[in-house]
Amino acid sequence: MSLRRIGILGGTFDPIHQGHLDAGHAAEVSLRLTEMFVVTASVPPHRTPVASIYHRFAMVALAVAGREGWRASDLELGLGTPSFTTDTLQRFHQRGYAASELFFVIGADAFAEIESWKDYPAILDRAHFAVVSRARLGVGVLADRLPRLARRMVRPEHAAAVSVPGGPLIFLIDAPTADVSSTAIRQRRASGEPVTGLVPPIVEQHIERHGLYSLTEAGRRPEDRGPAAAAGRLHGKA
Ligand code: ATP
Ligand code: MG
């Protein structure tokens, strides 16, 4: 059987942007990943997304369309309950993927908080973690921030030489990633500024066409706010 090296890029993607794509690409190249599943959290545990899961998933699908080996995963879509990464990784195991084949791609800012995640530290045995630097947070600081995990941390270029008994590794990937966040994009939209260059052009088009993240409701139809609002309109309530 050929070796599978599966990337999993999880997020709220409210909206997906160039930084997410850069992080996935950096992991793909430095770890020679063969596939990349981009998993949109329908109900993220600690926040309420602004755009509906339908729009967030649609934007992810548009963003990955031209990328070979990448796909928009609907794994968490039907859950209706908070989606925790540990559960998602277990779902991959149920589908026949071994922990050693999975690489969970995560930004350095998110990984710095890993001790607060559900099922920590067991979650680190469910997949390799591919930690990618973010504009103001390089991966170099993580060993000091998370001393208990330092012995599992390895640079991709040294991976062949490292064998840590007891499970998957934490890969530290230093790569240029766009200095952008979904929050900044939503703020720009709210103040009427363009988001050109921060998201792929096709995603920008989707955001504009559907009036996403703009403060005014102008141009925003009930359909864009999800089925409940649309149903309300059909019944004359919206
Ligand atoms: P928000 O501002 O709403 O928190 P975000 O831009 O941080 O959004 P998330 O959906 O929170 O995006 O992040 C999903 C994953 O992508 C996380 O692991 C995060 O660290 C990573 N990530 C997000 N933006 C970048 C970026 N610019 N560079 C590298 N990694 C990023
Ligand atoms: Mg974030």
Side-chain angles (χ1 to χ4, degrees), residues 210-236:
H210 297 271
L212 301 183
Y213 312 117
S214 66
L215 272 189
T216 66
E217 291 286 302
R220 207 168 168 208
R221 297 166 303 171
E223 287 85 350
D224 298 329
R225 303 195 300 265
R233 185 188 67 150
L234 286 177
H235 295 99

Side-chain angles (χ1 to χ4, degrees), residues 12 20 47 109-110 134 181-183:
T12 306
H20 298 129
R47 57 166 90 183
D109 62 313
R134 204 166 169 169
S181 68
S182 300
T183 303

Side-chain angles (χ1 to χ4, degrees), residues 72-139:
S73 165
D74 64 359
L75 200 63
E76 295 188 359
L77 293 199
L79 290 183
T81 52
S83 23
F84 292 96
T85 296
T86 183
D87 303 326
T88 299
L89 294 177
Q90 277 180 299
R91 263 180 229 114
F92 273 92
H93 297 168
Q94 285 156 11
R95 285 165 192 222
Y97 295 100
S100 59
E101 298 177 306
L102 300 175
F103 297 78
F104 187 77
V105 181
I106 180 171
D109 62 313
F111 191 74
E113 307 298 324
I114 191 75
E115 288 166 318
S116 67
W117 284 32
K118 183 182 169 195
D119 280 353
Y120 175 87
I123 188 173
L124 295 168
D125 295 326
R126 306 224 152 113
H128 298 286
F129 275 64
V131 188
V132 185
S133 49
R134 204 166 169 169
R136 270 165 293 278
L137 191 60
V139 289

Side-chain angles (χ1 to χ4, degrees), residues 9 17-30 36 67 70 105-110 130-139 172-181 197-199:
L9 176 58
H17 56 63
Q18 197 53 46
H20 298 129
L21 298 171
D22 289 346
H25 178 74
E28 182 182 27
V29 170
S30 57
M36 180 72 72
R67 295 181 172 241
W70 288 49
V105 181
I106 180 171
D109 62 313
V131 188
V132 185
S133 49
R134 204 166 169 169
R136 270 165 293 278
L137 191 60
V139 289
L172 302 183
I173 301 167
D174 242 326
T177 50
D179 185 6
V180 55
S181 68
L198 305 179
V199 298

